[in-house]
Amino acid sequence: MATVPEIKIVRSESVGHRSDVSSPEAKLGMRVKDLWDEQKPQLSPNEKLNACFESIPVSAFPLSSESQDIEIRSDTSLAEAVQTLSKLKVLSAPVVDVDAPEDATWIDRYIGIVEFPGIVVWLLHQLEPPSPRSPATAASNGISHDFNADILDNGNSAVTSGNFFEVLTSSEIYKNTKVRDISGTFRWAPFLALQKENSFLTMLLLLSKYKMKSIPVVDLGEAKIENIITQSGVIHMLAECAGLHWFEDWGVKTLSEVGLPIMSKDHIIKIYEDEPVLQAFKLMRRKRIGGIPVIERKIEKPVGNISLRDVHFLLTAPEIYHDYRSITTKNFLVAVREHLEKRGDTSAPILSGVIACTKNHTLKELILMLDAEKIHRIYVVDDSGNLEGLITLRDIIARLVHEPSGYFGDFFDGVMPLPENYRV
């Protein structure tokens, strides 16, 4: 049986250096270097970087795997959508309205972006006991009422039996519901997008201060998505810039020198290993975070990490939990690791356990760690492995660039309602 890995603290000497100066990302770094050299000498390093990134359009960002004609038709079933997302190894994809006219603008061509977490949450909502005013029943969804009552507790993440997701993925609602029918779960409709002429600075600020996970770039002429800029893509771009003087001047600073981590251990959202895994995913979606540490109660130390992307294992491999009485976070981690090891998949981030650093690591080392491990967040621990804080890509970008006063102006007007606390 697979075991839960211990905390993995990446050592400074294990972090490599970039040498492929011909990569598209490295060429972007060279472009920043040239712009840096043109800046006025009286500007601070942060002001220089702001000016450099403001001068580069997002059309220059390398195409991501998620933008390679990955679109889902609005008449696709949930089961088919899950298989497509899983096969392409992406968390989300834009949904094309099959009823849109050929000459539709991009706003009318897409109805939103469908995500694994949104599909799971929508399915769970359908299983909640109907209100007295609602004529709907669980049986109408192809799932027995008794099964429904056993696994959910008025919308809370009660302990679920091991065969829960096997039953769920065999249900008629899962097989027959169309993606367009769950458009209410989309974060926004259709979505907040950048045009090709928008700047890198705009993109970086949206990913950091405004907490977007990915940003579509649209071609207005073609009325379609040309690229999707992801957090992973930005991490890789920054990692490929290692060795350039503008990057080294910034990257040599230690985390403690730049005031990281911002989030202390008392503010980290966590979950215990004996709690239901559904609670972990609901917490991530509700709190709009990309991952959550799994804590062992006796020692109060992290023993694993579950990210939002791992939610697909609930729907794509429901049989792996069959022998468990309940799907706790610990059981989920063990079952998924066994499943991946049997398939010979050694690259999945969930196999790495808890990736951590210390406050003595530099920004450069941190970026290279994130890129090597294919993660967006890293835990900060002390010498004894005790959790001290959390650092995300957003925190790193916030130390790279800043938002000038009045920068966005009316950028968000009419695109989407401003969320609580002015976050995208």
Side-chain angles (χ1 to χ4, degrees):
M1 176 175 286
T3 57
V4 177
E6 296 181 354
I7 297 175
K8 177 182 178 182
I9 302 179
V10 184
R11 304 300 175 186
S12 300
E13 59 270 17
S14 69
V15 179
H17 296 272
R18 297 298 186 221
S19 58
D20 184 12
V21 295
S22 63
S23 73
E25 294 81 5
K27 289 179 179 179
L28 270 176
M30 292 297 295
R31 188 168 175 179
V32 174
K33 172 187 175 297
D34 293 339
L35 289 166
W36 174 281
D37 294 337
E38 297 173 3
Q39 301 305 312
K40 296 178 181 179
Q42 63 267 31
L43 295 178
S44 68
N46 186 260
E47 290 171 330
K48 286 184 179 182
L49 281 177
N50 255 41
C52 292
F53 287 123
E54 178 62 16
S55 300
I56 302 176
V58 292
S59 58
F61 199 91
L63 294 177
S64 71
S65 60
E66 292 190 31
S67 62
Q68 302 302 303
D69 296 324
I70 299 177
E71 296 180 339
I72 292 179
R73 290 168 52 95
S74 59
D75 59 354
T76 301
S77 71
L78 296 186
E80 293 169 332
V82 164
Q83 290 304 317
T84 298
L85 292 173
S86 177
K87 180 180 179 180
L88 297 173
K89 296 182 178 181
V90 295
L91 184 65
S92 61
V95 179
V96 178
D97 187 353
V98 295
D99 297 321
E102 291 186 6
D103 60 349
T105 64
W106 73 268
I107 292 180
D108 295 323
R109 184 170 186 266
Y110 298 98
I111 65 173
I113 293 180
V114 65
E115 303 173 303
F116 263 124
I119 293 175
V120 173
V121 169
W122 186 87
L123 286 169
L124 293 176
H125 283 172
Q126 308 315 301
L127 302 181
E128 292 177 0
S131 66
R133 298 180 181 180
S134 173
T137 64
S140 67
N141 293 331
I143 300 175
S144 73
H145 178 75
D146 289 341
F147 174 78
N148 185 44
D150 287 342
I151 57 176
L152 288 175
D153 180 17
N154 295 321
N156 295 326
S157 297
V159 175
T160 55
S161 60
N163 68 337
F164 169 61
F165 284 98
E166 283 188 282
V167 175
L168 181 60
T169 53
S170 299
S171 67
E172 292 302 312
I173 187 174
Y174 181 65
K175 296 176 181 178
N176 297 332
T177 301
K178 307 301 181 184
V179 171
R180 63 185 168 215
D181 298 330
I182 70 166
S183 60
T185 70
F186 298 167
R187 289 179 181 272
W188 45 76
F191 41 73
L192 180 63
L194 291 177
Q195 297 178 27
K196 293 194 296 182
E197 63 269 21
N198 286 128
S199 72
F200 263 53
L201 180 59
T202 300
M203 174 265 291
L204 290 172
L205 291 173
L206 289 176
L207 286 174
S208 57
K209 183 175 181 179
Y210 294 92
K211 301 194 174 184
M212 293 184 69
K213 291 182 173 61
S214 61
I215 308 174
V217 179
V218 297
D219 184 328
L220 295 183
E222 297 292 330
K224 64 179 296 184
I225 294 173
E226 182 178 83
N227 197 4
I228 298 179
I229 300 177
T230 64
Q231 292 186 10
S232 296
V234 172
I235 290 172
H236 186 60
M237 181 203 75
L238 291 174
E240 288 292 299
C241 294
L244 298 174
H245 70 77
W246 68 264
F247 180 91
E248 295 296 327
D249 288 348
W250 170 77
V252 73
K253 298 174 183 177
T254 65
L255 303 182
S256 57
E257 286 177 331
V258 297
L260 293 178
I262 298 174
M263 183 178 293
S264 66
K265 62 179 180 180
D266 296 330
H267 293 90
I268 295 177
I269 298 169
K270 58 190 177 182
I271 193 163
Y272 289 100
E273 61 179 357
D274 56 357
E275 292 187 273
V277 72
L278 286 181
Q279 178 65 14
F281 290 117
K282 284 191 173 184
L283 275 173
M284 283 185 270
R285 185 165 173 83
R286 187 183 310 130
K287 300 295 184 179
R288 303 185 65 199
I289 56 177
I292 191 168
V294 178
I295 308 296
E296 184 177 347
R297 286 189 186 274
K298 292 182 179 180
I299 60 176
E300 285 292 327
K301 289 184 179 181
V303 293
N305 181 77
I306 297 177
S307 72
L308 201 55
R309 77 183 83 182
D310 297 327
V311 72
H312 81 86
F313 290 114
L314 294 177
L315 299 179
T316 59
E319 70 283 356
I320 66 177
Y321 319 103
H322 189 81
D323 293 333
Y324 291 101
R325 294 186 60 185
S326 62
I327 312 176
T328 63
T329 56
K330 181 179 180 178
N331 291 342
F332 174 80
L333 287 173
V334 172
V336 170
R337 285 168 181 151
E338 287 183 338
H339 170 66
L340 292 173
E341 289 169 359
K342 287 179 181 177
R343 294 175 53 188
D345 185 350
T346 59
S347 62
I350 196 172
L351 292 173
S352 301
V354 181
I355 307 297
C357 67
T358 70
K359 291 181 179 179
N360 293 325
H361 277 89
T362 64
L363 287 167
K364 174 183 175 178
E365 291 168 343
L366 194 63
I367 288 173
L368 295 179
M369 287 181 206
L370 293 172
D371 187 44
E373 298 291 341
K374 308 303 179 188
I375 54 178
H376 306 152
R377 49 198 278 132
I378 191 165
Y379 299 103
V380 182
V381 297
D382 60 20
D383 294 336
S384 299
N386 298 306
L387 201 59
E388 287 195 322
L390 169 70
I391 298 175
T392 68
L393 171 64
R394 298 180 181 117
D395 300 327
I396 296 172
I397 294 177
R399 293 298 185 269
L400 183 69
V401 296
H402 67 276
E403 180 182 347
S405 177
Y407 179 78
F408 279 101
D410 59 358
F411 180 84
F412 299 112
D413 293 354
V415 178
M416 55 182 288
L418 286 179
E420 184 181 0
N421 298 327
Y422 199 56
R423 296 174 179 174
V424 176

